Amino acid sequence: MNQDTTKESHKHRGIYLLPNLLTTAGLFSGFYAVVASMNERFEAAAVAIFIAMIMDGLDGRVARMTNTQSAFGAEYDSMADMVSFGIAPALVAYNWGLVDLGKIGWLSAFIFVAGAALRLARFNTQVGIADKRFFQGLASPAAAAIIAGMVWVGDNYEINGSDVSFIVAIITVAAGLLMVSNFRYHSFKDVDWKGKVSFVAILVVVLIFVVVATNPALVLFAIFLLYAISGPVVTLRSVRELKMEHVVGDGNDADFESSDQSDEKEKEVKANPSSTVEETAENDEEKK
């Protein structure tokens, strides 16, 4: 009997290859962005961060499609996100436009790194409890896209980062603080991606690809910058009176949903603990 149990446990050991391979590709892209920025290849560094975003979006979806979700994959994804969307963007921004600011420069970069770490930790603790329709705080891939887009635009237009160092510092710090804010951002999880759409919708998608292709650096930077601004706007429209807990503080302070709804969600999680693991696998690509 014990031998059968041992054989069964050995049989199920190991990790799933495909989703973790995609996570590794995203991790590699983030690391490459750091190395490229050290060699002053800032366009390649920015593109690498965007590639990491694509890999991060694919690994969780592939895991669900192939039924290869695992706790290891979720944790590995968080570690990769910290490198690709926390450390890499901060160092790319530092090497491009913050190095001449001295202490202010590296402290600005550190604020972004700390914001990404806190954002990921908070997301992991709220899986299965938070409202799926919204992110609490700016997602780390979106914050990284703002930094990467800024550097990419500057490199394309031959802007010397040292000439706009204070602007770079302000954007970097702002992106870091937005990640730990309580501002609500649409997660687009309520969109039915599997449903049918009209022919016009497909034409709109094609048009979006064409617009992005005309000037990817500027368009992507503008899109993610507008998305970052949308958080405060959505929050201001959803509350009657703006309070400090709507801007920053413990997630339990924000009254975006009633306490009854929160209690119901907590009861559901306690009644069905396995759902938390499923939620983690479903949302591992959004740990930002």
Side-chain angles (χ1 to χ4, degrees):
M1 189 73 176
N2 293 334
Q3 290 180 350
D4 293 339
T5 307
T6 307
K7 288 180 180 179
E8 190 69 19
S9 62
H10 280 293
K11 182 180 178 181
H12 291 286
R13 285 181 181 177
I15 59 175
Y16 295 111
L17 177 62
L18 186 56
N20 290 299
L21 190 63
L22 293 171
T23 303
T24 303
L27 178 62
F28 174 82
S29 297
F31 178 76
Y32 176 79
V34 175
V35 175
S37 69
M38 292 171 62
N39 295 318
E40 298 186 354
R41 299 179 59 226
F42 296 111
E43 181 176 4
V47 172
I49 292 175
F50 280 106
I51 292 175
M53 289 179 60
I54 296 173
M55 295 298 106
D56 183 61
L58 287 176
D59 58 5
R61 286 173 174 80
V62 168
R64 291 195 301 274
M65 289 173 61
T66 57
N67 196 25
T68 53
Q69 306 100 316
S70 67
F72 173 85
E75 294 300 324
Y76 184 34
D77 183 73
S78 287
M79 300 299 104
D81 286 352
M82 185 58 212
V83 174
S84 300
F85 309 130
I87 297 174
L91 290 179
V92 170
Y94 178 79
N95 290 328
W96 182 65
L98 297 176
V99 65
D100 289 339
L101 291 180
K103 185 181 292 186
I104 295 177
W106 66 260
L107 284 175
S108 300
F110 174 73
I111 289 174
F112 185 92
V113 173
L118 292 169
R119 173 70 178 84
L120 288 165
R122 182 169 67 177
F123 181 89
N124 291 345
T125 58
Q126 291 180 343
V127 171
I129 298 176
D131 189 347
K132 284 186 177 183
R133 298 171 301 169
F134 298 96
F135 292 132
Q136 184 181 355
L138 182 63
S140 58
I146 293 174
I147 303 300
M150 171 186 64
V151 174
W152 195 358
V153 169
D155 188 75
N156 276 2
Y157 288 93
E158 298 181 353
I159 298 174
N160 191 344
S162 300
D163 296 336
V164 291
S165 54
F166 281 104
I167 297 176
V168 177
I170 291 172
I171 293 177
T172 303
V173 171
L177 295 178
L178 283 175
M179 283 190 282
V180 295
S181 71
N182 284 339
F183 291 133
R184 296 202 302 175
Y185 289 89
H186 281 289
S187 65
F188 302 105
K189 282 191 171 185
D190 51 349
V191 178
D192 185 11
W193 298 103
K194 297 180 181 179
K196 294 183 178 180
V197 295
S198 64
F199 184 73
V200 177
I202 300 299
L203 290 178
V204 172
V205 172
V206 173
L207 181 62
I208 291 173
F209 277 109
V210 171
V211 171
V212 172
T214 55
N215 193 335
L218 187 60
V219 174
L220 289 174
F221 176 60
I223 289 174
F224 284 101
L225 188 62
L226 289 174
Y227 180 70
I229 297 172
S230 72
V233 174
V234 170
T235 302
L236 288 172
R237 292 179 60 184
S238 62
V239 296
R240 294 181 180 179
E241 182 182 355
L242 186 66
K243 300 177 182 179
M244 180 59 69
E245 56 262 29
H246 297 139
V247 179
V248 69
D250 189 351
N252 296 326
D253 294 338
D255 58 353
F256 295 131
E257 55 185 5
S258 67
S259 58
D260 294 337
Q261 290 175 326
S262 299
D263 292 340
E264 269 184 34
K265 289 182 179 179
E266 289 181 5
K267 287 178 183 177
E268 287 178 7
V269 172
K270 289 179 181 178
N272 188 13
S274 61
S275 64
T276 336
V277 178
E278 293 174 2
E279 290 287 349
T280 303
E282 182 181 344
N283 296 300
D284 61 355
E285 75 276 8
E286 296 155 346
K287 292 180 180 178
K288 359 232 154 2

